[in-house]
């Protein structure tokens, strides 16, 4: 694959990673509530979820999701239900420790959250289906290998950008941790953000 194509793809990926969306908002919220390490673990989970969508594109499952209302709706419902579950936990969180009900979670559990959050969003598969092929050059070799390489670039960009978001919002969360009132506000805001993300996912159309 030509280097200039990879550079163009990387530039587009960076812009998309910084654009406000469910994934980076999720990282920001989790980091502010539970610390930068939790946010970075969520970031690795989200990036791992991209592997699912890459496989979906390569195997043709994304096309199925795009044309099948049942498959698309099923993924939406699972993702929205999980976000509402996280919202319930955020609303119940106590101010003694920022993150409250989630304070005892391991990094593995935050990593799992990221995977579920990303893998249950059918729009990501459809986005990959529309985005990756635009940078595939038929003259450069096997299209499947090119899409895997592009997905790897997107994976790396996601890790770098979202980890930066996690570190910044984690620092903010530490500053707020000195104030119980601020902790309560952060938890409540996080709960409303999760509800809003769930609602956005539910009204998403193919």
């Amino acid at each position: 694959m030509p280097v200039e194509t990879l550079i163009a793809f990387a530039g587009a990926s960076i812009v998309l990673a910084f654009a406000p969306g469910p994934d980076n908002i999720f990282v920001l919220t989790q980091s502010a509530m539970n610390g930068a390490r939790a946010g970075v673990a969520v970031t690795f989970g989200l990036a791992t979820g991209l592997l699912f969508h890459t496989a979906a594109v390569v195997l043709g499952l994304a096309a199925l999701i795009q044309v099948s209302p049942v498959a698309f709706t099923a993924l939406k419902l699972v993702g929205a239900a999980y976000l509402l579950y996280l919202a319930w936990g955020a609303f119940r969180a106590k101010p003694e420790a920022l993150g409250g009900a989630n304070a005892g979670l391991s990094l593995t559990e935050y990593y799992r959250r990221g995977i579920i959050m990303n893998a249950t969003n059918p729009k990501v598969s459809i986005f990959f289906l529309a985005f990756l092929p635009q940078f595939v050059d038929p003259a450069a070799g096997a299209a499947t290998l090119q899409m895997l390489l592009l997905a790897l670039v997107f994976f790396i960009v996601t890790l770098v950008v979202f980890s930066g978001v996690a570190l910044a919002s984690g620092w903010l969360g530490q500053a707020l941790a000195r104030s119980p009132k601020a902790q309560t506000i952060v938890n409540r805001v996080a709960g409303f953000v999760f509800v809003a993300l769930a609602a956005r996912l539910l009204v998403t159309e193919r």
Side-chain angles (χ1 to χ4, degrees):
M1 179 175 287
V3 175
E4 55 270 22
T5 300
L6 285 176
I7 293 175
F9 178 81
S13 299
I14 291 172
V15 172
L16 290 171
F18 275 112
D23 284 353
N24 50 20
I25 292 175
F26 188 67
V27 171
L28 188 152
T29 305
Q30 289 289 287
S31 300
M33 289 178 63
N34 307 302
R37 293 180 64 200
V40 171
V42 167
T43 293
F44 272 85
L46 290 170
T48 301
L50 294 176
L51 301 179
F52 165 81
H53 297 291
T54 301
V57 170
V58 172
L59 297 175
L61 296 179
L64 172 64
I65 293 173
Q66 188 174 26
V67 300
S68 170
V70 175
F72 188 84
T73 302
L75 273 178
K76 283 202 310 181
L77 291 176
V78 171
Y82 186 69
L83 285 167
L84 291 175
Y85 166 75
L86 294 182
W88 177 72
F91 285 130
R92 290 178 61 248
K94 298 179 181 179
E96 293 87 82
L98 201 58
N102 302 321
L105 295 182
S106 68
L107 294 181
T108 300
E109 290 170 310
Y110 287 115
Y111 172 72
R112 189 181 301 118
R113 280 189 174 189
I115 294 176
I116 295 173
M117 170 67 182
N118 189 275
T120 57
N121 186 350
K123 293 293 285 186
V124 180
S125 284
I126 295 174
F127 165 75
F128 264 35
L129 182 64
F131 186 53
L132 296 184
Q134 295 183 41
F135 294 87
V136 172
D137 182 0
T144 298
L145 293 179
Q146 290 185 62
M147 285 196 288
L148 290 175
L149 178 58
L150 292 172
L152 176 61
V153 173
F154 197 88
F155 180 91
I156 294 172
V157 168
T158 299
L159 283 180
V160 173
V161 173
F162 283 14
S163 292
V165 172
L167 293 174
S169 54
W171 174 84
L172 176 62
Q174 284 186 337
L176 294 174
R178 302 184 184 94
S179 168
K181 182 177 181 180
Q183 293 173 33
T184 300
I185 292 174
V186 169
N187 287 327
R188 298 299 180 271
V189 169
F192 283 116
V193 168
F194 291 146
V195 170
L197 290 176
R200 176 179 174 176
L201 186 58
L202 285 173
V203 300
T204 298
E205 297 181 357
R206 290 178 294 133

